[in-house]
Amino acid sequence: MNRPNSTASSTPTLVLALGWLVGFFVLFFWVTPRLPNNSEFLRTDLLAQSPAALLDAVDPPQERMGWRYLPQRLGVWVTAAWMMLGAWGLGRLGWRLIMRSDRGDSGLNAVDGITGFVLTMGVGLSALSLLTLVCGLAGALDRRVVVGLLVAVLLVELARWWRHRETIERSEPVAVEDSVSGIPKAAKWCLGFAAVLFLFFQFTGAALPSIDFDVKEYHLQGPREFFEQGRITRLPHNVYTSFPFLTEMLSLAGMVVADDWWWGALVGKTVLAAFAPLTALVLFAAGRRWWSSTAGLAAAMIYLTIPWTTRVSIIAYTEGGLCFFLAATLLAVALAMERIPRGQPLTSGWLLAGLLAGSGMACKYTGLVQVVVPAAAALAISIALANRAQRDEGEKAAGVSVAGSLLVFGVGVALTVGPWLLKNAVETGNPVYPLGYTVFGGADWSETDNLKWRAAHSSNDYSPSSLGRGLLDVASRNDWQSPLVFGLAPLALLVTVGRRRAACLWVVVGWLILTWWGLTHRLDRFWVPMLPVVSLLAGIGVTWSKRPAWWRPCAVLLVLGLAYNIAVVTTTNPRPVIGYNSFLGDLDQARRAAVTTAPAILAVNERLDGQSPRVLCVGEAQVFDALFPLAYNTVFDRSLLEQWCGDGRGGLADARTIRDKLKAEGVGWVLVNWQEILRYRTTYGYTDFVTPGVFASLREMDVLGEDEFGRRFLVPLDPVSVQQRQEIDNWGAALKAPMPADNRQVPGYVAVQLFRVH
């Protein structure tokens, strides 16, 4: 029997709800008015310029931008769509195998079409990532192999789907009566239009080259190295590539299918961008099933329009995948929990939840505490409560075993994240390398490395004021947060039907905030996975009352929130807020523009041809755009310069030994990025071996020639912090040189040098 999905919406409650929403908007726009990472922008100014920014995005006035360049992306999109279709085929195969665990019970087959589709895609994308991993470890990163396997699975599943399309069991979505059934259809169409608009931004942005440092250092650089060597091996010079790489494997698959590392990276980014609409579908399915179709639609729209969602879609971050697998895991867990009171078989439900939770951890190690732990806790608690209720009612039937269910869930987790842990264990002796050193140890890692890593990836301030600042950052102060998220989410507790579920979702949000604040170095990206959960609560909060006295002011604030989000995503003057957002730009121009964010790499690209000897990069690690052979190491890896040129005691080896080693490694050039080294020395730490004096000695030994760049990379000392100035004074005084500025000489230093190996 359907029940209304709202409170009585009494006048005091209505006043309270409107007061909270208006008060939060005041907090968002006027109490925290300036963007912390883009301090030249005020939120009210962004809101005012939203129409102009949107017009410039869809009808850009600049040259080399516009709809005439859209066809350049069609090949990328078609290839990505084909890969998604292949993932669907793998997901269908996996789905059928999961269902067999219940010995013929229809079980999760009886979900509605959207729910079944998104859960199938979750299984399929995880399987596609693992398939790429297996092919890579086997040295079979060949286009014919990967494409052939996907085509075979897809044809089998399409044939089976066509043969059994009339007999596939699908239930109608279980939803309570829509509390806002009186809302005009035009309003729902507006919600849908907003979602489509942001999907346009996300998929055109995903088909642009990335300018982000982490992406160029390992999110895409790791897959590029695997692609170019034709297999997946440990890369001891890039510790980040020992992380679980679920999303990066999708980028690698794009490179293999496209048979090109650069275009394939765009294909992979587009596949990763698809996690945004898939997450929105999860929220729609959950909202419609347990609250109302309007709640589901609002939740999907709110999630898609958060600037963070667009940001992680146009940058090849892992958080888009982690958001999806967290949301899909919660959906799978909730579906499985529904079956407990009915006495239905649980194996398929908990296995599916485990597969999805393990996939979350395979995106990022933090998925262990953000996805696996809360899912396992929900499993155990729900079964324990059901067993107690059964005992209280005097039923003699045996309850469901918590241990047995956790075992099934654990098997699912092991199937999806286990291969990554096994790979690390074989390569380094540590399944969670480089984490867990005190327990497992690890190859090429030491206690010094461990302490350096922990200092860079943890916090030492656990005061109440720190927690308060963190909560404010999460709720309102962050550059890419939406005012609709935490403005509407608390109102979910006003909804009568499903209030207990809403309270449970708030417990999940609290856990995610606590683990972000207590277990990480509090980078804002690390709390992004909570956004699907809070978006679902916000969608529910929209629907708490059907009174016009609520809907009319709420609609006004919804429009203001959407207008602000549009401005954050589309603004380009004086610079983009969201990241590289030349949505309709010429891809040839975009490729050149992307390289300019790594000026040292751009300069070497221009100086050398692709057939030159290897370039040893010192301090430079964002090397994805390099068109020359190279060797490099990240800040947390052993310095290649020190390994190849040092004597093991902190000094230089003799000239002949150094020449022989560089020749054996095929090194003909040495690139030094002093600007990056300076940044590392004042943040993470950097080896004391690398100094201008070392290169002066190498020149005196006739191992290296003179600096090929000369004064090309002189930068002023004025913007440099006091700490960085002290660093230059201590070890880099030889880099200082005056530079012209405004018809006068100002203090500067040499930021980049390039030396030829003799």
Side-chain angles (χ1 to χ4, degrees):
M1 178 176 175
N2 291 335
R3 295 173 291 172
N5 184 24
S6 68
T7 67
S9 61
S10 62
T11 299
T13 306
L14 179 64
V15 171
L16 178 65
L18 286 174
W20 163 262
L21 187 56
V22 172
F24 186 85
F25 267 65
V26 171
L27 168 70
F28 191 89
F29 285 100
W30 284 281
V31 178
T32 55
R34 195 171 293 277
L35 303 184
N37 295 296
N38 297 275
S39 57
E40 62 269 41
F41 292 99
L42 288 172
R43 283 180 161 146
T44 49
D45 292 342
L46 285 172
L47 184 60
Q49 70 187 43
S50 179
L54 175 60
L55 182 62
D56 286 346
V58 298
D59 186 21
Q62 299 96 329
E63 292 185 8
R64 306 198 58 103
M65 292 186 67
W67 291 94
R68 63 187 179 278
Y69 295 110
L70 193 67
Q72 292 179 333
R73 295 154 173 80
L74 293 182
V76 172
W77 289 341
V78 168
T79 307
W82 185 87
M83 286 178 57
M84 293 294 291
L85 194 58
W88 175 84
L90 289 170
R92 286 298 307 169
L93 174 61
W95 184 272
R96 288 192 291 108
L97 293 174
I98 293 169
M99 291 308 107
R100 287 184 180 180
S101 63
D102 281 339
R103 297 182 178 88
D105 178 74
S106 60
L108 292 176
N109 265 339
V111 297
D112 63 272
I114 291 178
T115 301
F117 172 74
V118 292
L119 295 178
T120 296
M121 288 304 300
V123 174
L125 286 166
S126 183
L128 176 56
S129 175
L130 288 174
L131 175 65
T132 308
L133 172 64
V134 171
C135 289
L137 293 174
L141 287 178
D142 185 279
R143 186 182 193 181
R144 294 165 297 181
V145 173
V146 175
V147 171
L149 289 172
L150 289 180
V151 167
V153 171
L154 182 59
L155 290 177
V156 169
E157 288 303 317
L158 283 174
R160 189 181 184 282
W161 172 79
W162 180 261
R163 188 181 308 116
H164 300 285
R165 67 189 185 283
E166 301 295 338
T167 60
I168 294 177
E169 181 182 354
R170 281 283 180 264
S171 71
E172 291 299 318
V174 179
V176 295
E177 179 185 344
D178 200 329
S179 62
V180 286
S181 56
I183 182 175
K185 287 186 177 181
K188 295 185 178 182
W189 278 104
C190 288
L191 293 178
F193 173 76
V196 170
L197 180 64
F198 276 81
L199 286 173
F200 165 78
F201 296 142
Q202 288 153 17
F203 280 97
T204 52
L208 290 170
S210 182
I211 63 172
D212 182 80
F213 185 96
D214 286 358
V215 172
K216 291 185 175 186
E217 184 184 35
Y218 66 96
H219 287 304
L220 288 179
Q221 175 59 22
R224 177 187 173 178
E225 290 184 55
F226 297 146
F227 170 74
E228 290 182 327
Q229 66 187 19
R231 64 186 310 114
I232 294 175
T233 61
R234 179 168 174 256
L235 304 180
H237 54 276
N238 193 331
V239 67
Y240 298 105
T241 58
S242 291
F243 288 170
F245 252 29
L246 184 149
T247 56
E248 288 81 359
M249 286 298 99
L250 298 177
S251 297
L252 176 58
M255 295 177 186
V256 174
V257 172
D259 200 25
D260 182 89
W261 61 268
W262 193 83
W263 286 101
L266 301 188
V267 172
K269 287 182 65 192
T270 303
V271 173
L272 298 186
F275 280 121
L278 288 175
T279 305
L281 285 177
V282 171
L283 301 182
F284 175 73
R288 181 175 65 170
R289 186 177 187 91
W290 289 296
W291 287 276
S292 68
S293 60
T294 303
L297 180 62
M301 181 277 294
I302 288 170
Y303 177 75
L304 283 176
T305 60
I306 300 171
W308 260 120
T309 304
T310 300
R311 181 168 169 79
V312 299
S313 296
I314 67 177
I315 302 173
Y317 284 151
T318 63
E319 277 71 20
L322 186 52
C323 283
F324 168 73
F325 284 112
L326 187 150
T329 299
L330 290 180
L331 177 60
V333 167
L335 290 170
M337 288 170 63
E338 278 192 338
R339 304 175 72 194
I340 296 174
R342 302 171 187 166
Q344 294 176 316
L346 297 173
T347 304
S348 63
W350 293 128
L351 181 60
L352 175 63
L355 290 170
L356 295 170
S359 300
M361 184 177 172
C363 290
K364 199 167 190 171
Y365 276 134
T366 54
L368 173 63
V369 293
Q370 292 177 320
V371 187
V372 176
V373 169
L379 179 159
I381 292 171
S382 61
I383 292 177
L385 291 176
N387 288 344
R388 187 176 70 177
Q390 191 177 46
R391 290 193 300 270
D392 291 344
E393 293 175 4
E395 297 183 18
K396 297 181 179 180
V400 179
S401 167
V402 174
S405 298
L406 283 173
L407 178 61
V408 174
F409 175 82
V411 168
V413 171
L415 287 173
T416 46
V417 76
W420 294 105
L421 305 183
L422 180 61
K423 170 181 173 290
N424 267 348
V426 171
E427 291 178 344
T428 70
N430 179 351
V432 292
Y433 184 87
L435 309 183
Y437 175 80
T438 55
V439 177
F440 302 105
D444 293 333
W445 208 245
S446 67
E447 184 59 30
T448 301
D449 297 321
N450 184 49
L451 292 175
K452 179 179 175 180
W453 178 274
R454 291 174 61 181
H457 295 88
S458 61
S459 177
N460 55 10
D461 183 2
Y462 296 97
S463 64
S465 60
S466 170
L467 178 59
R469 290 192 301 271
L471 291 173
L472 187 61
D473 287 340
V474 171
S476 70
R477 192 159 53 189
N478 186 265
D479 297 51
W480 306 290
Q481 181 60 285
S482 165
L484 303 178
V485 177
F486 280 92
L488 291 165
L491 305 183
L493 296 176
L494 298 179
V495 177
T496 302
V497 175
R499 182 178 294 170
R500 181 176 296 179
R501 283 194 177 93
C504 290
L505 291 177
W506 270 113
V507 171
V508 174
V509 173
W511 170 258
L512 294 174
I513 292 175
L514 181 64
T515 52
W516 165 74
W517 180 77
L519 300 177
T520 75
H521 57 313
R522 300 175 191 167
L523 192 66
D524 50 10
R525 259 194 298 137
F526 282 55
W527 57 255
V528 165
M530 79 175 66
L531 290 178
V533 188
V534 192
S535 296
L536 179 56
L537 287 164
I540 300 164
V542 168
T543 67
W544 80 271
S545 173
K546 62 182 178 181
R547 289 176 60 179
W550 160 251
W551 268 104
R552 287 168 182 166
C554 180
V556 171
L557 294 178
L558 278 170
V559 170
L560 288 176
L562 288 175
Y564 170 76
N565 293 343
I566 288 171
V568 173
V569 168
T570 58
T571 292
T572 58
N573 187 28
R575 63 188 180 88
V577 178
I578 196 73
Y580 189 36
N581 61 350
S582 179
F583 301 118
L584 292 173
D586 176 12
L587 281 186
D588 294 330
Q589 176 68 22
R591 184 171 188 174
R592 290 190 290 271
V595 186
T596 62
T597 61
I601 297 298
L602 174 62
V604 181
N605 280 346
E606 294 171 346
R607 176 68 178 79
L608 306 178
D609 60 61
Q611 303 303 315
S612 67
R614 290 175 84 190
V615 176
L616 172 59
C617 297
V618 182
E620 181 63 73
Q622 55 170 337
V623 297
F624 176 73
D625 293 308
L627 301 179
F628 49 86
L630 55 84
Y632 73 101
N633 61 271
T634 75
V635 65
F636 292 105
D637 294 295
R638 306 292 171 82
S639 167
L640 293 181
L641 180 75
E642 186 172 2
Q643 287 182 335
W644 294 350
C645 300
D647 61 3
R649 300 183 299 274
L652 282 169
D654 62 86
R656 181 174 181 178
T657 300
I658 295 173
R659 286 196 191 94
D660 289 346
K661 181 60 177 177
L662 294 180
K663 181 178 180 180
E665 296 293 341
V667 173
W669 299 86
V670 178
L671 171 69
V672 192
N673 190 328
W674 294 112
Q675 200 166 29
E676 282 295 282
I677 292 171
L678 182 62
R679 179 175 70 88
Y680 289 145
R681 284 186 183 275
T682 55
T683 52
Y684 305 133
Y686 200 78
T687 176
D688 293 332
F689 179 83
V690 179
T691 65
V694 166
F695 290 93
S697 297
L698 290 172
R699 292 197 302 275
E700 291 173 1
M701 297 162 63
D702 200 32
V703 173
L704 300 180
E706 294 300 315
D707 178 13
E708 299 275 335
F709 287 153
R711 298 172 61 86
R712 174 176 176 177
F713 282 95
L714 272 177
V715 298
L717 273 170
D718 283 345
V720 174
S721 68
V722 174
Q723 184 182 6
Q724 290 176 331
R725 278 177 177 262
Q726 291 174 346
E727 285 288 334
I728 292 177
D729 290 339
N730 290 339
W731 54 263
L735 298 175
K736 290 183 177 181
M739 60 179 296
D742 300 326
N743 298 319
R744 60 191 179 93
Q745 296 287 316
V746 300
Y749 74 98
V750 177
V752 178
Q753 293 180 309
L754 178 67
F755 304 99
R756 186 192 297 270
V757 176
H758 286 169

